[in-house]
Amino acid sequence: MDMMSSVASTSTAYSQAQLATDYSMALTKKIMDSAEELALNELEQMLPPSPYTFDVYA
């Protein structure tokens, strides 16, 4: 029984570590997406205003 309990605890620890890794990666991706969106917004604000009534940058 001791070996089965050891295997079960190892499996549980592995599952917990995998869950923590997956959560961390998902959070990191979300933060990177948000940072990218903010950077694009900042770059758009830095563009000089167009003297034309239509978008010449498109």
Side-chain angles (χ1 to χ4, degrees):
M1 262 328 206
D2 190 24
M3 179 140 182
M4 290 300 253
S5 137
S6 175
V7 169
S9 67
T10 302
S11 175
T12 302
Y14 177 77
S15 294
Q16 289 174 344
Q18 187 66 37
L19 177 65
T21 301
D22 291 345
Y23 177 79
S24 177
M25 285 299 276
L27 188 61
T28 301
K29 287 179 183 178
K30 184 69 174 172
I31 290 170
M32 289 174 68
D33 288 343
S34 297
E36 180 182 12
E37 186 177 327
L38 286 172
L40 288 174
N41 287 339
E42 287 295 320
L43 286 173
E44 285 179 7
Q45 301 242 342
M46 291 171 62
L47 291 174
S50 175
Y52 308 104
T53 57
F54 59 91
D55 187 8
V56 295
Y57 294 106

